[in-house]
Amino acid sequence: MKSAAILLEDGTAIPAQSIGYDEITIGEIVFNTSMTGYQEIITDPSYDRQIITFTNPHIGNTGINLDDYESSTHGCSGIIIRNYPTIGSSWRNEHEFIEFLKDKSISAVCSVDTRYLTSLLRNKGSLNGCIVPDIKNLDKAKTSLSEFSGLNGLDLAKNVTTNKEYIWNEGTHDLIDIKSSKDQKRLKVFAYDYGIKKNILRILNDLGCDVTVIPADKPFDELLKNKPDGVFLSNGPGDPAACDYAIDNIKNLLSKKIPIFGICLGFQLLCLASGAKTYKMKFGHHGANHPVIDVKSNKVYITSQNHGFAVNEESLTKNHKITHKSLFDESLQGIELTDTPAYGFQGHPEASPGPQDIYDLFSKFINNMRNNNA
């Protein structure tokens, strides 16, 4: 291992040991509190241009397997962990963790006091920073970091979206328990890919949807020619307010009264398209133990979360109905529109990783499409 460092925008330099890709990596440093599911987290495109600090000290101890990729080509920019990864020990293990990091060109460091770094991020908020795999390149890293302006105003959906549309036909794997809809007529769904996770597509497939994944900037009128039963708006990275093309497309789709379901970035874009506003959070929500309350039933769900922007509740219009709120900080977690079958959720009901408490949000989308066709 080479002597490495983490360099923060405030000038803080934290010593580390390099275990991943041997290139300086720049991004926004965030912390994730999940105790399991590191492979799904690292391969989630929503983390594009972000460096993840894992608060769990043991990362890499169950290895890597083919089933748990959330994207084959995109994910986080780098990772920061406490302990040097041990040999993977799991009946599902197919690939060692450090080899995976190098194969995927992910910069990574260990031997870091992650409790100190997490406390720093909680106090100051998410900070721009970089992983410097070789301490000799610290001055070069300082210059590169000074040129990174952060995620505000940055459209990253275009970085991670598919180049061309494709059909998805894979269902959930055996470890996930979800009701299938094999006996009902299949539904035609078009999913805007702003950085979509595979498990979202797997669940939609199992619930009776024939899903076509389309680029983030595909014009709405071309989509309508295919007469979709519903439109899904995916998760993704970056500042939602910067995605003008997506907001315009969603505005036009809303006027057609087509069932729409948005998750994470898709939820934020749905809100922006219907008149609300978003803001940058201090350090965001990144973890798999976040309590969210259904404001109608008062039922509490434990959810997976990954977002650094949120919807401003005070900017909602009369056309917005609040459905869910965070019990951590009372930030907005869900809305539905009153004049069209469209709704969204800020967290990740598809989990991967995390609890499966709130899978029923997908069933609502299915019911909206079937009722719309009745």
Side-chain angles (χ1 to χ4, degrees), residues 108-312:
V109 289
C110 70
S111 303
V112 176
D113 186 348
T114 50
R115 289 188 297 180
Y116 163 73
L117 180 53
T118 299
S119 296
L120 193 66
L121 297 174
R122 283 184 61 88
N123 291 332
K124 294 189 175 183
S126 297
L127 294 169
N128 296 334
C130 62
I131 290 175
V132 191
D134 188 339
I135 197 72
K136 297 175 183 177
N137 294 324
L138 200 58
D139 288 339
K140 179 182 176 182
K142 288 179 181 178
T143 301
S144 299
L145 179 56
S146 67
E147 297 171 353
F148 179 60
S149 59
L151 299 188
N152 261 323
L154 202 57
D155 173 10
L156 294 177
K158 284 187 175 179
N159 288 1
V160 299
T161 190
T162 180
N163 292 323
K164 58 182 180 180
E165 67 180 57
Y166 61 93
I167 305 296
W168 180 268
N169 52 24
E170 177 187 330
T172 55
H173 53 69
D174 293 339
L175 297 179
I176 295 176
D177 181 22
I178 191 165
K179 297 177 182 178
S180 62
S181 301
K182 296 179 180 179
D183 299 331
Q184 293 183 291
K185 181 182 176 182
R186 304 286 292 181
L187 295 161
K188 186 188 295 185
V189 172
F190 283 79
Y192 270 110
D193 176 14
Y194 308 124
I196 200 162
K197 290 174 64 180
K198 288 185 177 182
N199 206 45
I200 291 171
L201 298 171
R202 296 185 189 111
I203 292 171
L204 289 173
N205 178 279
D206 276 2
L207 290 177
C209 300
D210 291 330
V211 185
T212 301
V213 183
I214 56 177
D217 59 356
K218 185 180 179 69
F220 80 98
D221 51 351
E222 291 184 23
L223 185 155
L224 291 176
K225 292 176 183 176
N226 295 284
K227 298 181 179 178
D229 293 310
V231 176
F232 178 79
L233 312 174
S234 86
N235 62 290
D239 187 344
C243 303
D244 294 339
Y245 54 91
I247 296 168
D248 289 341
N249 276 330
I250 298 166
K251 281 181 181 177
N252 283 290
L253 289 170
L254 288 172
S255 69
K256 304 300 180 183
K257 309 298 182 182
I258 297 171
I260 295 175
F261 177 25
I263 287 176
C264 193
L265 178 63
F267 162 73
Q268 296 162 4
L269 292 172
L270 174 64
C271 290
L272 287 167
S274 53
K277 295 180 180 179
T278 55
Y279 64 95
K280 184 78 166 63
M281 303 176 78
K282 183 177 180 181
F283 48 76
H285 291 176
H286 309 280
N289 62 343
H290 289 242
V292 170
I293 190 167
D294 181 318
V295 299
K296 182 178 180 180
S297 67
N298 282 330
K299 184 174 181 179
V300 175
Y301 300 87
I302 304 302
T303 69
S304 180
Q305 302 271 325
N306 174 26
H307 59 279
F309 290 82
V311 176
N312 185 343

Side-chain angles (χ1 to χ4, degrees), residues 52-128:
I52 305 169
T53 302
F54 284 97
T55 60
N56 181 29
H58 301 292
I59 299 296
N61 54 329
T62 57
I64 299 294
N65 68 82
L66 291 176
D67 286 336
D68 289 346
Y69 280 96
E70 285 303 316
S71 170
S72 300
T73 54
H74 297 289
C76 70
S77 294
I79 66 166
I80 299 167
I81 62 177
R82 175 68 186 94
N83 294 336
Y84 181 83
T86 58
I87 295 174
S89 178
S90 170
W91 61 274
R92 302 174 70 221
N93 180 30
E94 299 171 338
H95 199 53
E96 291 305 317
F97 182 65
I98 292 179
E99 293 176 7
F100 155 78
L101 294 172
K102 293 179 178 179
D103 289 347
K104 293 294 182 181
S105 300
I106 300 170
S107 296
V109 289
C110 70
S111 303
V112 176
D113 186 348
T114 50
R115 289 188 297 180
Y116 163 73
L117 180 53
T118 299
S119 296
L120 193 66
L121 297 174
R122 283 184 61 88
N123 291 332
K124 294 189 175 183
S126 297
L127 294 169
N128 296 334

Side-chain angles (χ1 to χ4, degrees), residues 31-37 41 47 285-291 301-306 328 348 351-357:
F31 63 90
N32 187 298
T33 59
S34 297
M35 295 183 69
T36 60
I41 294 166
Y47 280 112
H285 291 176
H286 309 280
N289 62 343
H290 289 242
Y301 300 87
I302 304 302
T303 69
S304 180
Q305 302 271 325
N306 174 26
F328 272 172
H348 286 265
S352 284
Q356 302 171 9
D357 288 24

